[in-house]
Amino acid sequence: MSERGPAPAAAVPPTSTPRPPTSRNLAAALTVGAAVRLALQYAPAVTALRTTAQSSILTTTPLTRWSRIQEALYLYNRGLPLYDNALVHQPPILLPLLSVIPASMHPLLLTVIDTAVAAGLATLAHRQRELEPAAHAPVDADEEQKDPGAKIQGGGVAWTPAAVALAYLLNPLSILSCIAMDAGVIERGAMMAAAVFASGGDSIWASGAITVAFQMGFYPVALAPILALIQRRATHLSAFGVIPAVIISILMWNIIFYTFYTNVMDLDGMAVFKATTGFVLSVPDLQPNLGIFWYLLTEVFDHFRGFFVMVFQLHPFVYLAPIIMRFGRETPIFCLTVYTGVLATLKAYPTVGDYALWLGLLPLYASTWKYFRYPFITANVAVYCAFLFPIMHALWTRFASGNANFFYALTLVLVLGATVLQADCLHAMHVRMHHAHAYAVDKVHAAEAEEREFDEPVVEGRATAVEDRAERMRYRGGKGVKKTEDEEGKGEVKKVPARRVEVHKLPTLIVYLEE
Amino acid sequence: MEQSRITKKYDLFPRTLGQVLNRFGVEALDLTMTQGRWMHDAWGWPVDGYAAPPGFDVRAWLRTERRNATTLDKDWVGLTNALSGLFCGSLNFLDGTNIASPALAYKDRQGSSLLDVLRHGRLAREAVCTENLTPWGKLLPCSTKAGLAAALNGYRLFDADYHSIQTLVSITCASKDSACTQQLTQRVVAVFNPLRQSNKPEWSFTSLMDRPLNRPACALAASSTLHVTIPDLPAGAFQLHPADHAAVMINNKQVATYVYLRHHSLDPASATQSLRCVRLVFDHPPTTDFSVSRYLTDAGQERGILAVDLTNHRQVGDRTAQYTDVLPWFVRAYLHTVAYTCYPQGHATPADGLVEGVWFQHGIDRQRPTVMEVQVTVPASHLCTLRVEYELANLQYAEFRPDAERGFEVGSGLVTLFLNGTRPARLPTAIDPKASDVVRIHADAVQVQLPVPDFSMPYNVITFTCTVLAFYFGTMFSLTLSRAVSYRIDETTKKPVVVKIDELVWHKDE
């Protein structure tokens, strides 16, 4: 850990080595989650709930609706052309698998996949302690005392893998998505598989899994560089090597898949591409959903349509570079978390399941939650949306007493809420890492102060800051020390006895990057 | 009226229509302009076994020799444009989104060769008016100046419960590769309700049409005859004037025949009186032994089930029926949900019906409609239901008609019934002996409601959505391109002093 982690993290005592995963708890969590899903999938008493969920526009989209998978299976089993229609938008790779499983077992299959997503989250939570020590560096002595991962505690200590899995499995959104037979469950399964493979250092299978997710929903391809960075944390490879490697390997996987489609399944590759990826890219189906595309494209004048589609499709990808630049090196799994949220908010056909995956990843960073600024607003938006989305949709399409604007306004509220939550996540991560670093610096100070036995501190902030920096540079080693000394007055500062300031206790603000 | 395909003689055949047919390679053509619905259960079987569906309906059998799909499409566009000019209809709106090529229906009505391609288009909402009747009348050799056609009064015709103006071109070939002849049939089908119009059970042609039948027959006509089917009622229940008709038997029905005389009115003696039928006893509504009902169930603005009830009222003898439905592209039917269930009459327990074949073409958005053709067996005294689930698409705001809340018509389904020689007892006179063993019943047209956006919102939506996106963008970028710093209050200046700490993220951690 100390070789891989940032320098101040070395100050963290070795007691924070993660415990082995509590496999019994995890198994119990998975069993509970799977049991809840199976009960809701097969119990005759909740048939109405299942039917509603399977057709609701909140839980499924034209891209992922199970009835369309059934149509594709029907066509596939009879050897009819698969994509000569406006219904099938899922890649053919699913069909050979689904056709050998009896239809009555399909809910079971989705339950297994959804439970596997939870298991993947738990695996990530487990590995994250090793891969992202920076996210777990203590911010104060109190936190350092606690054994991270010992128990579920929101305030500053990480959740156990079992707790992470349980939080996902009992999230009503993920349960709804699963009983709605949303094909997005499979897509998210592929995404989690990719993340787990990447965190284990396996880029080939990670690329394969993300290719499946890409072919199902297109947007997961944005995760490719993040997966490469996760793999880099696990394997110590260079970032300049892993990112192109993952991208090339995704290309290769796509070629393999399309060769399979054209040669083995006897499909027209172009037709497959147009019906799957092309469908997501051009957004021809304007059925309402949680996202921002549908109403704009319903209302926009025809000659601007292409422009808006292009701008809106580019949008989910523009955050990739800044997020990777800021967090990719130390905390790539945090990038994955943030980006899952970005995609859930900005994709063309989002469902509650996309939000469920994002909310499922958030507990990995429970240690940052105490720095959230607007949890009350976020919670309110969540409750507001949960109640009003179904009501407004029914008012519009069923009772004709409200119009489309009611539902549309809610999608805006949801995006605003997601923005606030996303902002809180980023802010909290900034502040936490800042505090952890300050605490590490303080500790170095303390150690050196003891060593030098300074007794009269000087109350001068500037000097302290300069001293901080000098200390840190020295601690790090390298050329920084000399440069700092040159800049700051040739060791003059060092003559002033520095006061030991508890930097991590100071108020923190976020300012724009000045460089 | 006939024309030879080879010689292209236009002695009787109207040149305007004939040139259009030749130009676009049309072997046979059915163009019906209809308003109203043929009430099968009340009126019995339609004349010649075919009641046209409401709206404009065009079926054209196009020659495929030396033509590929592209030239066929081009010819179809040319044909519909020419017909829309000829008949003053909006037939030019019959583009790819609402034309179909049914594989099973109309199989008995092919062109001269099996290679012909049937294109079928329908405008379910097109209204029929005088402007359509006038050009139709002009195709007649004597226009509407002589014979029965002279009595066609548009005001009265369009007041009928059901009226259909039909232009039918068929082709007959003596043998393969020999010269073929095209035959034009022009037909007006109308159902009048004298009770509604005059509040009396007594009616005459004069009262129906507000014009006497006193014009001489067309000089070019080979024959000009009026047939009146005499109801199976006891004598004295009705009177027919003039009574001096020749009675013949057609299909076990007594038919009074009045012959138009060339250069003379129908009959000098009865010219003023005209043809009059006084019905003293109301006939029981003729019942058909097969009824069809088409409806939507579980229907909302997002999805629903399209159901067709086929009922065979006969005690003995199954019927073979073909159901053909052309659904607009925004009604997306699922092939895997096609279900056929039969209920014995009086029983509630269903049994799976026998589906002999399914021909299904999925629709493609804004390109082509869904075409569903199912051949089924309807057992004797059974009610069978054919169901298919559908999902409705959401349209862009410009794709809605001005009265968007009214919904969209989903044409009418067609049931083709094969009689196999078991002609129903009450099938009225078939004037055309070729009107064969096939009865076509158009099931009820249905309407779907699509979710309607707010049409006043385009600018608002663009600005709101883009504002929210800009907020997202700004928040994300400010947070990813910013750094955390600590500060404290300087005791001397009372201003915050920033305490910078380099972040962890840019450390060289190697």
Side-chain angles (χ1 to χ4, degrees), chain A residues 21-163:
Chain A
T22 46
S23 54
R24 199 190 301 166
N25 287 354
L26 181 60
L30 296 180
T31 313
V32 168
V36 168
R37 279 164 175 70
L38 283 179
L40 291 171
Q41 291 275 30
Y42 286 103
V46 287
T47 312
L49 174 70
R50 271 199 299 273
T51 321
T52 311
Q54 284 180 13
S55 57
S56 169
I57 56 163
L58 304 174
T59 47
T60 62
T61 63
L63 183 67
T64 54
R65 189 157 292 137
W66 195 253
S67 55
R68 303 192 171 210
I69 306 262
Q70 284 175 305
E71 184 81 352
L73 267 179
Y74 186 93
L75 296 173
Y76 173 76
N77 288 337
R78 281 157 187 77
L80 297 167
L82 269 179
Y83 292 104
D84 190 24
N85 55 55
L87 293 171
V88 181
H89 303 297
Q90 287 297 332
I93 190 74
L94 302 174
L95 302 176
L97 170 71
L98 288 173
S99 67
V100 295
I101 301 172
S104 59
M105 296 304 235
H106 288 164
L108 177 67
L109 176 73
L110 283 207
T111 300
V112 168
I113 292 175
D114 211 21
T115 314
V117 169
L121 285 170
T123 313
L124 274 192
H126 175 57
R127 290 183 180 165
Q128 178 219 19
R129 310 273 165 79
E130 282 178 54
L131 299 179
E132 296 187 337
H136 290 280
V139 294
D140 51 27
D142 188 34
E143 218 181 82
E144 196 171 349
Q145 291 305 312
K146 292 178 185 172
D147 182 10
K151 50 192 162 178
I152 302 172
Q153 274 181 8
V157 176
W159 286 21
T160 59

Side-chain angles (χ1 to χ4, degrees), chain A residues 17 83 122 127 163 241 247 266 293 329-330 339 365 371 385 488:
Chain A
T17 311
Y83 292 104
R127 290 183 180 165
I247 289 170
D266 246 348
F293 278 74
R329 190 175 279 269
E330 295 281 313
Y339 229 79
Y365 298 92
Y371 302 107
C385 288
E488 302 292 347

